[in-house]
Amino acid sequence: MAIKQPASRPANPRFSSGPCAKIPTFELQKLSDAPFGRSHRAAVGKAKLLAAIEETRDLLGIPADYRIGIVPASDTGAFEMAMWNLLGERPVEMVAWESFGAGWVTDAVKQLKIDATVHTADYGRIVDMAALNYDHDVCFTWNGTTSGVRMPNGDVIPSDRAGLTLCDATSAAFAMDLPWDKLDVTTFSWQKVLGGEGAHGMLILSPRAVARLENYAPAWPLPKIFRLTKGGKLIDGIFRGETINTPSMMAVEDYLVALDWARSVGGLTGLINRANANSAAIEAFVNANDWIAYLAEDPATRSNTSVCLKFTDARIVDGAAFAKAVAKRLDAEGVAYDIGAYRDAPPGLRIWCGGTVETSDISAMLPWLSWAFDAEIDAQMEAA
């Protein structure tokens, strides 16, 4: 039986969890002020890079004595740089409740060969962060991009800790209130909540992290692209816009434009409110339909950016095939792109709800999700 399609469609069907939707006002001509064909070490290039650093500080409320650097290779490069430079001075606690956290565990244990204490939780759950020893160094993700499970807050992290906290905040920065006094190293990438271009990561260091860099040298060699110190001192230029390698000035300009837009919608508070409104629309939909549920089990730890869902209908024979078929139908109709679950995650959907997404587009997409579900159930029954 033919199932009637919804009458309206999202104006922007881009719900990918990375690279994420551009800002709603994005136009290529807005990047015309980028210093194309100029050295990033020229005054104009340095000024743009420093502006990106200081405007990030202002928008996120990062303390004045924290260092902010633009580094290569997106969030991955930033977090790897932090681990390679800082770990090994004291015992380490590695924390993972989804695939990216698991990747950091692999790098620490198998590549750096650190005898770390590893804490894991299944997809949909979170590690008991209060049970960790914060006199050790602790590596964790704030928001599990592939599980939709996030830290509810930083209350369990002690202020008088002896170790460093290394936090991958790539799908949390600009959408969640990060407690800077509890975070010694924080990393994120431009292509997440602000919908920027890929390739560059942000590395944010507390004074305690800087002190570790200047007083500890790891046992393993560091490639040039990872080096943050010289002669036992922080390479200060990295944190003034003198990047380790050549950045894309087009990507920098795009980030500056996105930061300007973020201020126009109310800054960090406005961005958090936009993400919350988007995720609230999905919550209402899930509550109204018994065939779909959150992957995250505890409402207090549900992400407001990377919202992960699972199908619960007993008629579904092959969960992975069904979820892929639903995502394929939505993509073919041009109403939702790239919303299949991450390849290592349980079968389901992942819908990005960061601040660059309009709530009206989420609301217009959800009836199509119902349509795709019904259509796929019918197709499955006809094939049986």
Side-chain angles (χ1 to χ4, degrees):
M1 181 179 68
I3 299 170
K4 186 177 181 181
Q5 293 183 340
S8 61
R9 295 170 177 266
N12 185 355
R14 293 166 178 82
F15 303 107
S16 163
S17 291
C20 302
K22 306 295 290 182
I23 60 173
T25 58
F26 177 77
E27 296 175 338
L28 275 175
Q29 54 265 38
K30 291 189 175 184
L31 308 185
S32 60
D33 195 44
F36 298 115
R38 294 295 308 276
S39 170
H40 61 293
R41 302 192 189 284
V44 62
K46 288 182 181 180
K48 291 281 188 180
L49 290 159
L50 183 58
I53 288 171
E54 292 308 322
E55 290 181 28
T56 298
R57 184 189 306 278
D58 180 66
L59 196 63
L60 291 179
I62 300 170
D65 58 353
Y66 279 49
R67 305 297 187 95
I68 305 172
I70 297 170
V71 300
S74 193
D75 176 67
T76 300
F79 203 80
E80 297 279 10
M81 186 180 293
M83 288 198 297
W84 254 248
N85 276 276
L86 294 166
L87 297 187
E89 192 264 352
R90 62 177 55 234
V92 177
E93 313 238 341
M94 299 297 300
V95 180
W97 57 80
E98 50 91 51
S99 60
F100 288 103
W104 307 141
V105 171
T106 296
D107 288 346
V109 174
K110 294 187 177 181
Q111 300 301 320
L112 295 178
K113 302 188 185 306
I114 291 173
D115 185 16
T117 302
V118 178
H119 307 264
T120 62
D122 293 336
Y123 276 86
R125 298 181 180 180
I126 193 170
V127 167
D128 180 5
M129 299 295 287
L132 304 183
N133 184 347
Y134 289 93
D135 288 336
H136 298 171
D137 293 334
V138 177
C139 298
F140 67 102
T141 57
W142 190 272
N143 182 78
T145 308
T146 64
S147 69
V149 174
R150 69 174 176 181
M151 290 273 290
N153 52 59
D155 293 352
V156 299
I157 302 174
S159 298
D160 61 349
R161 62 193 177 278
L164 299 179
T165 53
L166 283 70
C167 175
D168 171 0
T170 198
S171 53
F174 298 108
M176 303 173 198
D177 192 10
L178 298 173
W180 296 108
D181 61 320
K182 303 298 183 73
L183 305 178
D184 295 301
V185 179
T186 309
T187 66
F188 67 87
S189 55
W190 296 349
Q191 73 265 28
K192 290 294 185 180
V193 177
L194 286 188
E197 293 305 296
H200 304 301
M202 300 298 279
L203 176 65
I204 304 168
L205 305 175
S206 74
R208 298 178 70 246
V210 172
R212 171 77 64 84
L213 284 169
E214 295 186 334
N215 291 282
Y216 163 71
W220 42 81
L222 291 171
K224 177 183 177 181
I225 207 166
F226 274 12
R227 293 174 202 158
L228 294 171
T229 61
K230 185 176 181 180
K233 293 295 182 182
L234 190 73
I235 302 174
D236 195 57
I238 295 172
F239 304 92
R240 296 197 309 265
E242 298 170 14
T243 54
I244 296 172
N245 71 333
T246 305
S248 163
M249 297 311 297
M250 179 183 285
V252 171
E253 192 69 24
D254 182 71
Y255 182 55
L256 289 170
V257 168
L259 289 168
D260 186 59
W261 170 82
R263 284 189 293 273
S264 77
V265 297
L268 179 59
T269 299
L271 291 169
I272 292 173
N273 289 341
R274 287 174 65 90
N276 287 346
N278 291 336
S279 57
I282 293 180
E283 181 179 13
F285 179 83
V286 171
N287 290 341
N289 293 279
D290 60 5
W291 46 265
I292 197 164
Y294 285 97
L295 183 60
E297 296 177 1
D298 182 357
T301 67
R302 287 176 186 161
S303 174
N304 66 342
T305 56
S306 54
V307 178
C308 296
L309 305 173
K310 59 184 179 181
F311 293 104
T312 58
D313 195 289
R315 294 170 293 177
I316 297 173
V317 177
D318 183 334
F322 187 89
K324 288 181 180 179
V326 168
K328 185 176 180 180
R329 284 180 184 272
L330 295 171
D331 185 284
E333 290 294 333
V335 294
Y337 297 142
D338 312 320
I339 67 167
Y342 190 73
R343 60 180 179 269
D344 295 334
L349 304 176
R350 180 173 58 155
I351 302 169
W352 184 255
C353 289
T356 60
V357 174
E358 300 280 21
T359 305
S360 58
D361 286 330
I362 294 281
S363 297
M365 179 272 295
L366 291 171
W368 283 92
L369 177 52
S370 293
W371 167 83
F373 169 79
D374 289 338
E376 197 55 38
I377 286 288
D378 274 10
Q380 178 181 280
M381 296 177 67
E382 288 176 5

